[in-house]
Short mmCIF file of all heavy atoms in Angstrom, two decimals:
data_model
loop_
_atom_site.label_atom_id
_atom_site.label_comp_id
_atom_site.label_asym_id
_atom_site.label_seq_id
_atom_site.Cartn_x
_atom_site.Cartn_y
_atom_site.Cartn_z
N VAL N 39 45.82 123.84 110.16
CA VAL N 39 45.60 125.09 109.44
C VAL N 39 44.33 125.77 109.94
O VAL N 39 44.30 126.97 110.21
CB VAL N 39 45.52 124.85 107.92
CG1 VAL N 39 45.12 126.14 107.20
CG2 VAL N 39 46.85 124.34 107.39
N THR N 118 63.42 130.97 114.07
CA THR N 118 64.13 130.25 115.12
C THR N 118 64.54 131.18 116.25
O THR N 118 64.92 132.33 116.02
CB THR N 118 65.37 129.52 114.57
OG1 THR N 118 66.01 128.84 115.65
CG2 THR N 118 66.35 130.48 113.94
N SER N 132 70.75 128.92 97.57
CA SER N 132 71.00 130.37 97.55
C SER N 132 70.97 130.91 98.98
O SER N 132 70.00 131.55 99.40
CB SER N 132 69.94 131.08 96.70
OG SER N 132 69.92 130.59 95.38
N LEU N 170 60.87 144.93 105.97
CA LEU N 170 59.66 144.14 106.20
C LEU N 170 59.20 144.27 107.64
O LEU N 170 58.01 144.47 107.92
CB LEU N 170 59.92 142.67 105.85
CG LEU N 170 58.80 141.68 106.19
CD1 LEU N 170 57.50 142.04 105.47
CD2 LEU N 170 59.24 140.25 105.85
N SER N 177 59.59 146.69 115.67
CA SER N 177 60.83 147.44 115.89
C SER N 177 61.99 146.45 115.84
O SER N 177 62.22 145.71 116.81
CB SER N 177 60.81 148.14 117.25
OG SER N 177 59.75 149.07 117.32
N ALA N 230 56.82 132.30 135.65
CA ALA N 230 55.57 132.51 134.90
C ALA N 230 55.87 132.76 133.43
O ALA N 230 55.13 132.31 132.55
CB ALA N 230 54.78 133.68 135.50
N GLY N 278 52.89 123.87 134.75
CA GLY N 278 54.33 124.05 134.62
C GLY N 278 54.87 124.35 135.99
O GLY N 278 54.74 123.53 136.91
N ASP N 284 41.83 127.18 132.26
CA ASP N 284 41.25 128.05 131.22
C ASP N 284 42.18 129.20 130.89
O ASP N 284 41.74 130.34 130.67
CB ASP N 284 39.89 128.60 131.67
CG ASP N 284 38.89 127.48 131.92
OD1 ASP N 284 38.94 126.48 131.17
OD2 ASP N 284 38.07 127.61 132.84
#
Side-chain angles (χ1 to χ4, degrees):
V39 173
T118 180
S132 302
L170 173 60
S177 299
D284 299 325

